[in-house]
Amino acid sequence: MFVNEDILKSLWDIFNKKRLIEFKLIKQLMPSYKSTEMYVIDILGEQGDKNIKSIARLLYLTDGAVSKLAKRMASRGIVRCYNRLGNNKDVYLALTEDGKSDFERHCKMKRALNDDLKIVMTDDERYETNKVLKMLQDYNAKLDRQMEKFEVGL
């Protein structure tokens, strides 16, 4: 059985609607931020310091785009850029105190949004959800292999 195109379309619609809501809330609650900056703050806040290449992969952006973004964020005092001892090649990003504070504000906003969107599921629905999740993980792995095959990379 193949992944149903209706499922993929529904997931795409859900993703885009949620993204649009988040963009609107970011504009209202944190007007000095661009959405990509908030994504970087989320990554650093949740996962700790990361190098530019890692952030680029997570956001499906080029290294150059993330480097430019990092410089802009560093000039505003949101992140600091540094090299690790013995490695002058990779540039790492870390949240500053202001960046950590803004990460906490953004987390509160996301929790409120996610609380509004929670759906209570029965045990049967939870079982079905796990099956759909497994199917999507398999499909995602297949896409990764296609990216390798066709040399699609960032």
Side-chain angles (χ1 to χ4, degrees), residues 4-18:
N4 185 312
E5 288 295 321
D6 291 338
I7 291 173
L8 295 176
K9 184 186 179 316
S10 292
L11 290 170
W12 187 247
D13 288 345
I14 289 167
F15 170 79
N16 283 320
K17 288 174 185 176
K18 192 162 188 268

Side-chain angles (χ1 to χ4, degrees), residues 44 47-55 66-67 70-71 73-75 78-96 100:
L44 297 175
Q47 300 179 23
D49 298 7
K50 291 276 184 200
N51 66 20
I52 286 177
K53 187 177 287 301
S54 297
I55 294 170
V66 174
S67 181
K71 287 177 187 171
M73 293 174 74
S75 72
I78 302 164
V79 299
R80 69 178 179 84
C81 302
Y82 68 95
N83 298 98
R84 289 203 170 149
L85 194 61
N87 181 356
N88 290 330
K89 182 180 172 189
D90 293 328
V91 175
Y92 285 80
L93 303 181
L95 289 177
T96 63
K100 290 176 185 175

Side-chain angles (χ1 to χ4, degrees), residues 105-149:
R105 282 183 33 219
H106 189 242
C107 284
K108 287 179 188 174
M109 179 196 78
K110 284 193 325 185
R111 276 193 299 273
L113 175 61
N114 289 336
D115 285 347
D116 283 349
L117 296 173
K118 279 186 182 168
I119 298 172
V120 178
M121 291 189 283
T122 65
D123 287 339
D124 287 342
E125 289 169 328
R126 215 176 333 277
Y127 174 75
E128 293 298 321
T129 300
N130 287 334
K131 286 172 47 177
V132 171
L133 181 59
K134 171 74 170 93
M135 177 202 59
L136 292 172
Q137 289 168 337
D138 291 346
Y139 190 73
N140 193 34
K142 192 172 204 94
L143 287 171
D144 287 341
R145 289 189 297 276
Q146 289 288 44
M147 288 177 73
E148 273 183 35
K149 178 180 176 180

Side-chain angles (χ1 to χ4, degrees), residues 26-77:
I26 289 168
K27 285 273 187 230
Q28 289 175 350
L29 300 174
M30 304 177 93
S32 65
Y33 280 98
K34 295 185 181 324
S35 57
T36 50
E37 292 171 336
M38 286 311 310
Y39 290 135
V40 171
I41 286 175
D42 275 349
I43 290 168
L44 297 175
E46 290 172 4
Q47 300 179 23
D49 298 7
K50 291 276 184 200
N51 66 20
I52 286 177
K53 187 177 287 301
S54 297
I55 294 170
R57 275 195 219 107
L58 289 168
L59 295 177
Y60 295 92
L61 296 172
T62 64
D63 294 356
V66 174
S67 181
K68 186 175 179 179
L69 183 63
K71 287 177 187 171
R72 185 172 65 227
M73 293 174 74
S75 72
R76 292 179 37 217

